[in-house]
Amino acid sequence: MTTLSTSQATRTPMAAPAAHGKRIWTPALWLVWAVCLGLGAIGMYQRIAHGHLPAGYGSYVPWGLWIAIYFHGVGIAGGAFAVAAAGYILALPGFRHPAALRAAIVLAFAAVVPAFMAVWLDLGHMERASRILTAPAFTSMMAFNAWMYNAFLAVAAVCWVISYRRDTGWLKPLLCLGVLLALMFPSQSGAFFGVVDAKPYWHSPLLPIMFLASAITAGAAMLLLIRGIIGVDSPAGYGDADPVIFTAAMARLRSIVLAGLVAYFLLEFAEFSIVLWNTQTHAPALDLVLFGPYWWVFWIVHLGVGGLLPFALLLTRRPGAWIVAGFLVAVAFISARLNVLVPGQAIGEIRGLQEAFQHPRLNYTYHATAMEYLVALFLVAVGMAVYFVGRRISKALAARAA
Amino acid sequence: MNQANTDDAGVRGSNGCMTRREAVRAGALVGAGLAVAGGTAVLARRAKAPPDPSGPGTIRSLPVLNNVPPRADEDVLLRMQRELVKAMAKPVEQRRWIMVIDTRKCVGCHACTIACVAENHLPPGVVYRPVVTEEFGEFPNVQLRFTPRPCMQCDSPPCVPVCPVNATWKRADGIVAIDYDKCIGCRYCIAACPYGARTSDFGERYTDGAAEGCPDGDDSPLFGANAPWADRPSNEYGKAWRRDGHQSPTGNARKCHFCLHRLEAGQLPQCATTCIGRATYFGDANDPDSLVTELVTKHNVQTLLPHKGTKPRVFYIV
């Protein structure tokens, strides 16, 4: 049955990236990495030398671009792991090999490490970050979330290790636990905002579901992108070296991203439509999203580049277009995070507070600064490096195990 | 061989669904995971005792105003100060500090804001008690209303449960305190406060960018960038906090604490002392004879954003 759906998706199996794609992409990826690292190093210097002073966030908008990156990163990690692990457990073509699973685990780490770095750099006291694990208050969704990520990383790491063993009697059970965690922490990311009654725009029970939908969408899109341009490595010619398996995996991921896009935008429409027809407390924040100075983030980046364009590309029968769609979704879906994060903070409950004591950090507007963007590039470079190193280790261990 | 089988050609992989043993193990792991997560969430909701000392050890015998006999026509500041001394003679858990602000008397001079900045050595961008100005009507029929906004010291403070490291809590006397040495600076509490009463200390200094003057110091009577007053410690929570070298409270969330360090010394909060219109009142709501109790019970008082369910301890006479 799975074979049927695969052959329906494309007329002919797609050439695997292992055959020729790597040669095209490798120099480009190195160039992107070098640029991100070089520019990002400037941002990191500014962050370390001058603390938070060059940042654009303040006390009335206390969270900015880095927090959006954080939630986007952990969403990708959870989504990618959940999709790949479910595929492995269900023995779907293109997912049933441990190499495919390992690629997703490495991707999850590559997404989580820069995400953690983003939130770490955002802390006022970075040296005290470990307190969230050593002295947590579980009444806080932040502490709950932090423990959940770490539990997930531990489970994912164990899965990665035992995936090399012949006796895999614990792999699938652990993957089930990993899937549970991978579904819980993106939902909790939504709850992280949803529990804040002070921000009417955040205080919605739909938010955890939207965050989960966006995590699975972005995670599957990232897998689509990774498999499309790099593939998964394995000995004995398995997997993405085989065009049939490669196409099956791509078709499955394409379906998940399509379904995820539909689900996310439906949920978003449900949320927005209630506000548009009941212009009460949420309305100013939604006005900001749709018609504020950053209207283009919603209409162009989020809806156009992150929604409609990839949707159209995914509807084609060209796997090359799916890869582009995966890239667009994986990157542009950060706008979904920003569109929740910033407008929610940009509307104060006490009218006139901003004018009561004036200072650039006591302002309900937020513009990310050059330092924040440069650090974001550095985080991209870190993610790429983690993926590269993880993939090399995976490959070496797989060769040894074979 | 069909395409599905091709996937497993020559390699070990996942074949079919889980075995019964795997399914049992998976069920046990997932069940245990859910139980741990759920149990943790429930246990975390149990009320915890504040970390501060309580009981007879917190009784303060303060000699303030001992030599000033009370008079019927004395200033309300003197009356509140006597009541403060009386309240401090009780254990901390028997005090209930509240603030009453008479908006009819507030003239919008911002003296309380500035006094607070001076008292707590607040850096740029950190404010505990701004005065919000609202304008009603159109020119020339314009009316102004001033609303000082300290921390509301809520009885259901939304800032407390969101702190991931227990760095902020509700004291027995009702003041919401912050332990600057524990705070990691995540700013979740700032986002959670509907009153915008918490601000983050990003490390700015009023002397940033100031001229240093000549090395001999002849032309720098105010010391410029090296002004010694900039490094004077604040005394919040009864401890000397030096901000140099990114020490706390730099990097922390900060907020009004009803000048707790002054209360311990028998002094009223600086904003109440400084108010030129005598519009700010402070005292113990557990004292039925106190001025604040009298004001709250005899006047039409309101709280800010009552629909948020935070139960503020700052009352406004309107």
PDB file of all heavy atoms in Angstrom, chain A residues 3 59 62-63 88 94 96 122 124-125 128 137 140 192 197 238 361, chain B residues 7-8 14 162 164 180 183 186-188 200 204 246 248 250 308:
ATOM      1  N   THR A   3       3.730   1.405  -1.156  1.00  0.00           N
ATOM      2  CA  THR A   3       4.371   1.476  -2.467  1.00  0.00           C
ATOM      3  C   THR A   3       3.465   2.188  -3.460  1.00  0.00           C
ATOM      4  O   THR A   3       3.911   3.015  -4.254  1.00  0.00           O
ATOM      5  CB  THR A   3       4.684   0.061  -2.968  1.00  0.00           C
ATOM      6  OG1 THR A   3       5.350  -0.627  -1.952  1.00  0.00           O
ATOM      7  CG2 THR A   3       5.511   0.097  -4.215  1.00  0.00           C
ATOM      8  N   SER A  59      11.818  46.288  28.685  1.00  0.00           N
ATOM      9  CA  SER A  59      11.022  45.780  29.796  1.00  0.00           C
ATOM     10  C   SER A  59       9.552  45.597  29.426  1.00  0.00           C
ATOM     11  O   SER A  59       8.871  44.797  30.041  1.00  0.00           O
ATOM     12  CB  SER A  59      11.131  46.719  30.997  1.00  0.00           C
ATOM     13  OG  SER A  59      12.407  46.596  31.574  1.00  0.00           O
ATOM     14  N   PRO A  62       9.819  42.229  26.576  1.00  0.00           N
ATOM     15  CA  PRO A  62      11.045  41.630  27.124  1.00  0.00           C
ATOM     16  C   PRO A  62      11.657  40.519  26.281  1.00  0.00           C
ATOM     17  O   PRO A  62      12.797  40.135  26.511  1.00  0.00           O
ATOM     18  CB  PRO A  62      10.582  41.077  28.477  1.00  0.00           C
ATOM     19  CG  PRO A  62       9.114  40.912  28.373  1.00  0.00           C
ATOM     20  CD  PRO A  62       8.629  41.922  27.386  1.00  0.00           C
ATOM     21  N   TRP A  63      10.929  39.996  25.316  1.00  0.00           N
ATOM     22  CA  TRP A  63      11.460  38.902  24.499  1.00  0.00           C
ATOM     23  C   TRP A  63      11.419  39.275  23.023  1.00  0.00           C
ATOM     24  O   TRP A  63      10.439  39.835  22.536  1.00  0.00           O
ATOM     25  CB  TRP A  63      10.632  37.630  24.702  1.00  0.00           C
ATOM     26  CG  TRP A  63      10.753  37.036  26.058  1.00  0.00           C
ATOM     27  CD1 TRP A  63      11.839  37.075  26.871  1.00  0.00           C
ATOM     28  CD2 TRP A  63       9.748  36.321  26.769  1.00  0.00           C
ATOM     29  NE1 TRP A  63      11.573  36.412  28.048  1.00  0.00           N
ATOM     30  CE2 TRP A  63      10.299  35.941  28.008  1.00  0.00           C
ATOM     31  CE3 TRP A  63       8.439  35.946  26.477  1.00  0.00           C
ATOM     32  CZ2 TRP A  63       9.587  35.214  28.951  1.00  0.00           C
ATOM     33  CZ3 TRP A  63       7.730  35.224  27.413  1.00  0.00           C
ATOM     34  CH2 TRP A  63       8.300  34.865  28.637  1.00  0.00           C
ATOM     35  N   TYR A  88       9.668   5.190  11.749  1.00  0.00           N
ATOM     36  CA  TYR A  88      10.463   3.997  12.085  1.00  0.00           C
ATOM     37  C   TYR A  88       9.608   2.953  12.799  1.00  0.00           C
ATOM     38  O   TYR A  88       9.643   1.768  12.475  1.00  0.00           O
ATOM     39  CB  TYR A  88      11.647   4.396  12.971  1.00  0.00           C
ATOM     40  CG  TYR A  88      12.548   3.232  13.308  1.00  0.00           C
ATOM     41  CD1 TYR A  88      13.576   2.852  12.442  1.00  0.00           C
ATOM     42  CD2 TYR A  88      12.360   2.508  14.477  1.00  0.00           C
ATOM     43  CE1 TYR A  88      14.391   1.769  12.735  1.00  0.00           C
ATOM     44  CE2 TYR A  88      13.168   1.427  14.782  1.00  0.00           C
ATOM     45  CZ  TYR A  88      14.177   1.059  13.917  1.00  0.00           C
ATOM     46  OH  TYR A  88      14.979  -0.017  14.202  1.00  0.00           O
ATOM     47  N   GLY A  94      11.413   4.224   3.571  1.00  0.00           N
ATOM     48  CA  GLY A  94      12.203   5.444   3.671  1.00  0.00           C
ATOM     49  C   GLY A  94      12.458   5.864   5.094  1.00  0.00           C
ATOM     50  O   GLY A  94      13.269   6.753   5.354  1.00  0.00           O
ATOM     51  N   ARG A  96      12.214   3.216   7.731  1.00  0.00           N
ATOM     52  CA  ARG A  96      12.344   2.033   8.566  1.00  0.00           C
ATOM     53  C   ARG A  96      13.786   1.682   8.894  1.00  0.00           C
ATOM     54  O   ARG A  96      14.048   0.832   9.732  1.00  0.00           O
ATOM     55  CB  ARG A  96      11.689   0.842   7.876  1.00  0.00           C
ATOM     56  CG  ARG A  96      12.384   0.430   6.605  1.00  0.00           C
ATOM     57  CD  ARG A  96      11.728  -0.773   5.997  1.00  0.00           C
ATOM     58  NE  ARG A  96      10.322  -0.521   5.715  1.00  0.00           N
ATOM     59  CZ  ARG A  96       9.464  -1.459   5.342  1.00  0.00           C
ATOM     60  NH1 ARG A  96       9.852  -2.703   5.254  1.00  0.00           N
ATOM     61  NH2 ARG A  96       8.230  -1.156   5.045  1.00  0.00           N
ATOM     62  N   ASP A 122      19.883  35.091  25.908  1.00  0.00           N
ATOM     63  CA  ASP A 122      18.839  36.046  26.257  1.00  0.00           C
ATOM     64  C   ASP A 122      18.746  36.273  27.769  1.00  0.00           C
ATOM     65  O   ASP A 122      18.150  37.245  28.212  1.00  0.00           O
ATOM     66  CB  ASP A 122      17.494  35.523  25.733  1.00  0.00           C
ATOM     67  CG  ASP A 122      16.414  36.584  25.754  1.00  0.00           C
ATOM     68  OD1 ASP A 122      16.476  37.488  24.914  1.00  0.00           O
ATOM     69  OD2 ASP A 122      15.536  36.510  26.629  1.00  0.00           O
ATOM     70  N   GLY A 124      19.512  37.280  31.571  1.00  0.00           N
ATOM     71  CA  GLY A 124      20.248  38.365  32.218  1.00  0.00           C
ATOM     72  C   GLY A 124      21.447  37.853  32.988  1.00  0.00           C
ATOM     73  O   GLY A 124      22.440  38.550  33.166  1.00  0.00           O
ATOM     74  N   HIS A 125      21.337  36.626  33.487  1.00  0.00           N
ATOM     75  CA  HIS A 125      22.456  36.007  34.194  1.00  0.00           C
ATOM     76  C   HIS A 125      22.699  34.622  33.606  1.00  0.00           C
ATOM     77  O   HIS A 125      22.193  33.609  34.104  1.00  0.00           O
ATOM     78  CB  HIS A 125      22.170  35.924  35.701  1.00  0.00           C
ATOM     79  CG  HIS A 125      22.402  37.212  36.405  1.00  0.00           C
ATOM     80  ND1 HIS A 125      23.659  37.631  36.798  1.00  0.00           N
ATOM     81  CD2 HIS A 125      21.561  38.202  36.747  1.00  0.00           C
ATOM     82  CE1 HIS A 125      23.569  38.825  37.369  1.00  0.00           C
ATOM     83  NE2 HIS A 125      22.299  39.188  37.350  1.00  0.00           N
ATOM     84  N   ARG A 128      23.790  31.600  35.674  1.00  0.00           N
ATOM     85  CA  ARG A 128      22.856  30.920  36.578  1.00  0.00           C
ATOM     86  C   ARG A 128      21.881  30.014  35.828  1.00  0.00           C
ATOM     87  O   ARG A 128      20.904  29.539  36.409  1.00  0.00           O
ATOM     88  CB  ARG A 128      22.048  31.945  37.377  1.00  0.00           C
ATOM     89  CG  ARG A 128      22.909  32.820  38.266  1.00  0.00           C
ATOM     90  CD  ARG A 128      22.045  33.845  38.992  1.00  0.00           C
ATOM     91  NE  ARG A 128      22.890  34.842  39.658  1.00  0.00           N
ATOM     92  CZ  ARG A 128      22.467  36.025  40.044  1.00  0.00           C
ATOM     93  NH1 ARG A 128      21.216  36.382  39.839  1.00  0.00           N
ATOM     94  NH2 ARG A 128      23.291  36.879  40.636  1.00  0.00           N
ATOM     95  N   ALA A 137      11.187  25.386  39.629  1.00  0.00           N
ATOM     96  CA  ALA A 137       9.834  25.564  40.175  1.00  0.00           C
ATOM     97  C   ALA A 137       8.896  25.082  39.067  1.00  0.00           C
ATOM     98  O   ALA A 137       8.742  25.758  38.052  1.00  0.00           O
ATOM     99  CB  ALA A 137       9.583  27.025  40.509  1.00  0.00           C
ATOM    100  N   SER A 140       6.156  26.823  36.948  1.00  0.00           N
ATOM    101  CA  SER A 140       6.507  27.612  35.769  1.00  0.00           C
ATOM    102  C   SER A 140       6.609  26.711  34.551  1.00  0.00           C
ATOM    103  O   SER A 140       7.320  25.703  34.571  1.00  0.00           O
ATOM    104  CB  SER A 140       7.851  28.314  36.001  1.00  0.00           C
ATOM    105  OG  SER A 140       8.300  28.902  34.805  1.00  0.00           O
ATOM    106  N   PHE A 192       3.382  27.794  27.289  1.00  0.00           N
ATOM    107  CA  PHE A 192       4.320  28.775  27.864  1.00  0.00           C
ATOM    108  C   PHE A 192       3.734  30.187  27.728  1.00  0.00           C
ATOM    109  O   PHE A 192       3.774  30.981  28.655  1.00  0.00           O
ATOM    110  CB  PHE A 192       5.633  28.654  27.077  1.00  0.00           C
ATOM    111  CG  PHE A 192       6.764  29.500  27.559  1.00  0.00           C
ATOM    112  CD1 PHE A 192       7.728  28.961  28.378  1.00  0.00           C
ATOM    113  CD2 PHE A 192       6.883  30.815  27.168  1.00  0.00           C
ATOM    114  CE1 PHE A 192       8.793  29.746  28.804  1.00  0.00           C
ATOM    115  CE2 PHE A 192       7.932  31.593  27.589  1.00  0.00           C
ATOM    116  CZ  PHE A 192       8.896  31.053  28.411  1.00  0.00           C
ATOM    117  N   ASP A 197      -1.923  35.237  31.424  1.00  0.00           N
ATOM    118  CA  ASP A 197      -3.201  35.940  31.358  1.00  0.00           C
ATOM    119  C   ASP A 197      -3.011  37.432  31.093  1.00  0.00           C
ATOM    120  O   ASP A 197      -3.906  38.111  30.595  1.00  0.00           O
ATOM    121  CB  ASP A 197      -3.941  35.714  32.692  1.00  0.00           C
ATOM    122  CG  ASP A 197      -5.338  36.288  32.668  1.00  0.00           C
ATOM    123  OD1 ASP A 197      -5.986  36.188  31.611  1.00  0.00           O
ATOM    124  OD2 ASP A 197      -5.786  36.834  33.691  1.00  0.00           O
ATOM    125  N   TYR A 238      22.160   1.355   1.334  1.00  0.00           N
ATOM    126  CA  TYR A 238      20.756   1.508   1.719  1.00  0.00           C
ATOM    127  C   TYR A 238      20.283   2.928   1.465  1.00  0.00           C
ATOM    128  O   TYR A 238      21.049   3.870   1.371  1.00  0.00           O
ATOM    129  CB  TYR A 238      20.573   1.223   3.224  1.00  0.00           C
ATOM    130  CG  TYR A 238      19.413   1.974   3.776  1.00  0.00           C
ATOM    131  CD1 TYR A 238      18.131   1.532   3.535  1.00  0.00           C
ATOM    132  CD2 TYR A 238      19.598   3.190   4.408  1.00  0.00           C
ATOM    133  CE1 TYR A 238      17.048   2.269   3.971  1.00  0.00           C
ATOM    134  CE2 TYR A 238      18.530   3.920   4.840  1.00  0.00           C
ATOM    135  CZ  TYR A 238      17.256   3.464   4.619  1.00  0.00           C
ATOM    136  OH  TYR A 238      16.194   4.207   5.039  1.00  0.00           O
ATOM    137  N   ARG A 361      13.838  51.506  26.561  1.00  0.00           N
ATOM    138  CA  ARG A 361      13.489  50.131  26.961  1.00  0.00           C
ATOM    139  C   ARG A 361      12.124  50.048  27.645  1.00  0.00           C
ATOM    140  O   ARG A 361      11.705  48.972  28.054  1.00  0.00           O
ATOM    141  CB  ARG A 361      14.571  49.563  27.878  1.00  0.00           C
ATOM    142  CG  ARG A 361      15.882  49.386  27.160  1.00  0.00           C
ATOM    143  CD  ARG A 361      16.867  48.544  27.927  1.00  0.00           C
ATOM    144  NE  ARG A 361      18.163  48.623  27.303  1.00  0.00           N
ATOM    145  CZ  ARG A 361      18.559  47.910  26.246  1.00  0.00           C
ATOM    146  NH1 ARG A 361      17.725  47.045  25.720  1.00  0.00           N
ATOM    147  NH2 ARG A 361      19.751  48.056  25.729  1.00  0.00           N
TER     148      ARG A 361
ATOM    149  N   ASP B   7      13.692  -1.591   0.931  1.00  0.00           N
ATOM    150  CA  ASP B   7      14.173  -0.751   2.023  1.00  0.00           C
ATOM    151  C   ASP B   7      15.081  -1.511   2.976  1.00  0.00           C
ATOM    152  O   ASP B   7      15.976  -0.942   3.606  1.00  0.00           O
ATOM    153  CB  ASP B   7      12.947  -0.237   2.786  1.00  0.00           C
ATOM    154  CG  ASP B   7      13.237   1.107   3.409  1.00  0.00           C
ATOM    155  OD1 ASP B   7      14.346   1.603   3.208  1.00  0.00           O
ATOM    156  OD2 ASP B   7      12.342   1.618   4.067  1.00  0.00           O
ATOM    157  N   ASP B   8      14.808  -2.764   3.151  1.00  0.00           N
ATOM    158  CA  ASP B   8      15.563  -3.553   4.121  1.00  0.00           C
ATOM    159  C   ASP B   8      16.665  -4.377   3.481  1.00  0.00           C
ATOM    160  O   ASP B   8      17.304  -5.182   4.147  1.00  0.00           O
ATOM    161  CB  ASP B   8      14.616  -4.510   4.861  1.00  0.00           C
ATOM    162  CG  ASP B   8      13.520  -3.748   5.568  1.00  0.00           C
ATOM    163  OD1 ASP B   8      13.834  -2.676   6.106  1.00  0.00           O
ATOM    164  OD2 ASP B   8      12.366  -4.205   5.549  1.00  0.00           O
ATOM    165  N   SER B  14      13.825  -1.877  10.687  1.00  0.00           N
ATOM    166  CA  SER B  14      12.586  -2.089  11.389  1.00  0.00           C
ATOM    167  C   SER B  14      11.653  -2.899  10.516  1.00  0.00           C
ATOM    168  O   SER B  14      11.392  -2.535   9.383  1.00  0.00           O
ATOM    169  CB  SER B  14      11.973  -0.725  11.697  1.00  0.00           C
ATOM    170  OG  SER B  14      10.691  -0.875  12.192  1.00  0.00           O
ATOM    171  N   VAL B 162       5.265  31.823  37.581  1.00  0.00           N
ATOM    172  CA  VAL B 162       5.989  31.658  36.312  1.00  0.00           C
ATOM    173  C   VAL B 162       7.508  31.669  36.491  1.00  0.00           C
ATOM    174  O   VAL B 162       8.228  31.259  35.570  1.00  0.00           O
ATOM    175  CB  VAL B 162       5.592  32.738  35.272  1.00  0.00           C
ATOM    176  CG1 VAL B 162       4.126  32.651  34.935  1.00  0.00           C
ATOM    177  CG2 VAL B 162       5.962  34.137  35.742  1.00  0.00           C
ATOM    178  N   PRO B 164      10.876  30.365  36.960  1.00  0.00           N
ATOM    179  CA  PRO B 164      11.304  28.969  36.865  1.00  0.00           C
ATOM    180  C   PRO B 164      12.252  28.514  37.959  1.00  0.00           C
ATOM    181  O   PRO B 164      12.548  27.327  38.065  1.00  0.00           O
ATOM    182  CB  PRO B 164      12.007  28.928  35.502  1.00  0.00           C
ATOM    183  CG  PRO B 164      12.516  30.298  35.296  1.00  0.00           C
ATOM    184  CD  PRO B 164      11.538  31.222  35.968  1.00  0.00           C
ATOM    185  N   TYR B 180      17.543  38.551  44.315  1.00  0.00           N
ATOM    186  CA  TYR B 180      18.393  38.935  43.177  1.00  0.00           C
ATOM    187  C   TYR B 180      19.510  37.915  42.930  1.00  0.00           C
ATOM    188  O   TYR B 180      20.021  37.811  41.819  1.00  0.00           O
ATOM    189  CB  TYR B 180      19.016  40.308  43.417  1.00  0.00           C
ATOM    190  CG  TYR B 180      18.053  41.474  43.324  1.00  0.00           C
ATOM    191  CD1 TYR B 180      18.269  42.641  44.045  1.00  0.00           C
ATOM    192  CD2 TYR B 180      16.936  41.420  42.490  1.00  0.00           C
ATOM    193  CE1 TYR B 180      17.409  43.722  43.951  1.00  0.00           C
ATOM    194  CE2 TYR B 180      16.065  42.499  42.397  1.00  0.00           C
ATOM    195  CZ  TYR B 180      16.313  43.640  43.131  1.00  0.00           C
ATOM    196  OH  TYR B 180      15.453  44.710  43.030  1.00  0.00           O
ATOM    197  N   CYS B 183      17.712  35.040  40.838  1.00  0.00           N
ATOM    198  CA  CYS B 183      17.073  35.383  39.556  1.00  0.00           C
ATOM    199  C   CYS B 183      18.044  35.142  38.392  1.00  0.00           C
ATOM    200  O   CYS B 183      19.192  35.584  38.438  1.00  0.00           O
ATOM    201  CB  CYS B 183      16.633  36.844  39.598  1.00  0.00           C
ATOM    202  SG  CYS B 183      15.987  37.457  38.036  1.00  0.00           S
ATOM    203  N   CYS B 186      15.368  35.709  33.183  1.00  0.00           N
ATOM    204  CA  CYS B 186      14.660  35.203  31.993  1.00  0.00           C
ATOM    205  C   CYS B 186      13.527  36.120  31.567  1.00  0.00           C
ATOM    206  O   CYS B 186      13.020  36.011  30.461  1.00  0.00           O
ATOM    207  CB  CYS B 186      14.109  33.803  32.256  1.00  0.00           C
ATOM    208  SG  CYS B 186      12.778  33.748  33.486  1.00  0.00           S
ATOM    209  N   ARG B 187      13.058  36.977  32.451  1.00  0.00           N
ATOM    210  CA  ARG B 187      12.038  37.995  32.190  1.00  0.00           C
ATOM    211  C   ARG B 187      10.635  37.428  31.981  1.00  0.00           C
ATOM    212  O   ARG B 187       9.769  38.102  31.450  1.00  0.00           O
ATOM    213  CB  ARG B 187      12.462  38.892  31.015  1.00  0.00           C
ATOM    214  CG  ARG B 187      13.825  39.525  31.199  1.00  0.00           C
ATOM    215  CD  ARG B 187      14.118  40.605  30.197  1.00  0.00           C
ATOM    216  NE  ARG B 187      14.343  40.100  28.871  1.00  0.00           N
ATOM    217  CZ  ARG B 187      15.474  39.579  28.436  1.00  0.00           C
ATOM    218  NH1 ARG B 187      16.514  39.530  29.251  1.00  0.00           N
ATOM    219  NH2 ARG B 187      15.588  39.128  27.208  1.00  0.00           N
ATOM    220  N   TYR B 188      10.437  36.191  32.381  1.00  0.00           N
ATOM    221  CA  TYR B 188       9.089  35.604  32.277  1.00  0.00           C
ATOM    222  C   TYR B 188       8.131  36.354  33.203  1.00  0.00           C
ATOM    223  O   TYR B 188       6.976  36.612  32.852  1.00  0.00           O
ATOM    224  CB  TYR B 188       9.155  34.120  32.657  1.00  0.00           C
ATOM    225  CG  TYR B 188       8.032  33.242  32.144  1.00  0.00           C
ATOM    226  CD1 TYR B 188       6.988  33.732  31.360  1.00  0.00           C
ATOM    227  CD2 TYR B 188       8.015  31.879  32.437  1.00  0.00           C
ATOM    228  CE1 TYR B 188       5.972  32.893  30.894  1.00  0.00           C
ATOM    229  CE2 TYR B 188       7.010  31.033  31.971  1.00  0.00           C
ATOM    230  CZ  TYR B 188       5.986  31.553  31.211  1.00  0.00           C
ATOM    231  OH  TYR B 188       4.992  30.719  30.757  1.00  0.00           O
ATOM    232  N   SER B 200      13.328  45.242  33.722  1.00  0.00           N
ATOM    233  CA  SER B 200      14.602  44.528  33.734  1.00  0.00           C
ATOM    234  C   SER B 200      15.750  45.515  33.809  1.00  0.00           C
ATOM    235  O   SER B 200      15.729  46.546  33.137  1.00  0.00           O
ATOM    236  CB  SER B 200      14.723  43.666  32.470  1.00  0.00           C
ATOM    237  OG  SER B 200      15.915  42.933  32.512  1.00  0.00           O
ATOM    238  N   GLU B 204      22.325  49.475  32.188  1.00  0.00           N
ATOM    239  CA  GLU B 204      22.626  50.846  31.772  1.00  0.00           C
ATOM    240  C   GLU B 204      22.991  51.679  32.989  1.00  0.00           C
ATOM    241  O   GLU B 204      22.600  51.371  34.113  1.00  0.00           O
ATOM    242  CB  GLU B 204      21.417  51.455  31.055  1.00  0.00           C
ATOM    243  CG  GLU B 204      21.121  50.787  29.727  1.00  0.00           C
ATOM    244  CD  GLU B 204      20.048  51.505  28.930  1.00  0.00           C
ATOM    245  OE1 GLU B 204      19.898  52.727  29.111  1.00  0.00           O
ATOM    246  OE2 GLU B 204      19.364  50.839  28.140  1.00  0.00           O
ATOM    247  N   HIS B 246      28.558  43.784  36.357  1.00  0.00           N
ATOM    248  CA  HIS B 246      27.375  42.981  36.037  1.00  0.00           C
ATOM    249  C   HIS B 246      26.886  42.164  37.236  1.00  0.00           C
ATOM    250  O   HIS B 246      26.377  41.056  37.111  1.00  0.00           O
ATOM    251  CB  HIS B 246      27.641  42.040  34.843  1.00  0.00           C
ATOM    252  CG  HIS B 246      26.367  41.518  34.225  1.00  0.00           C
ATOM    253  ND1 HIS B 246      25.535  42.301  33.460  1.00  0.00           N
ATOM    254  CD2 HIS B 246      25.775  40.305  34.288  1.00  0.00           C
ATOM    255  CE1 HIS B 246      24.498  41.581  33.069  1.00  0.00           C
ATOM    256  NE2 HIS B 246      24.610  40.371  33.557  1.00  0.00           N
ATOM    257  N   SER B 248      24.357  41.403  40.391  1.00  0.00           N
ATOM    258  CA  SER B 248      22.944  41.654  40.656  1.00  0.00           C
ATOM    259  C   SER B 248      22.826  42.938  41.463  1.00  0.00           C
ATOM    260  O   SER B 248      23.691  43.229  42.291  1.00  0.00           O
ATOM    261  CB  SER B 248      22.353  40.504  41.460  1.00  0.00           C
ATOM    262  OG  SER B 248      22.195  39.396  40.627  1.00  0.00           O
ATOM    263  N   THR B 250      21.930  43.997  38.407  1.00  0.00           N
ATOM    264  CA  THR B 250      22.068  44.077  36.953  1.00  0.00           C
ATOM    265  C   THR B 250      21.695  42.714  36.354  1.00  0.00           C
ATOM    266  O   THR B 250      22.113  41.674  36.864  1.00  0.00           O
ATOM    267  CB  THR B 250      23.529  44.423  36.572  1.00  0.00           C
ATOM    268  OG1 THR B 250      23.884  45.647  37.198  1.00  0.00           O
ATOM    269  CG2 THR B 250      23.683  44.562  35.071  1.00  0.00           C
ATOM    270  N   LYS B 308      -8.514  40.761  36.214  1.00  0.00           N
ATOM    271  CA  LYS B 308      -7.397  39.826  36.072  1.00  0.00           C
ATOM    272  C   LYS B 308      -7.322  38.847  37.252  1.00  0.00           C
ATOM    273  O   LYS B 308      -6.567  37.879  37.209  1.00  0.00           O
ATOM    274  CB  LYS B 308      -6.066  40.583  35.970  1.00  0.00           C
ATOM    275  CG  LYS B 308      -5.923  41.390  34.688  1.00  0.00           C
ATOM    276  CD  LYS B 308      -5.710  40.489  33.497  1.00  0.00           C
ATOM    277  CE  LYS B 308      -5.578  41.260  32.204  1.00  0.00           C
ATOM    278  NZ  LYS B 308      -5.565  40.385  31.027  1.00  0.00           N
TER     279      LYS B 308
END
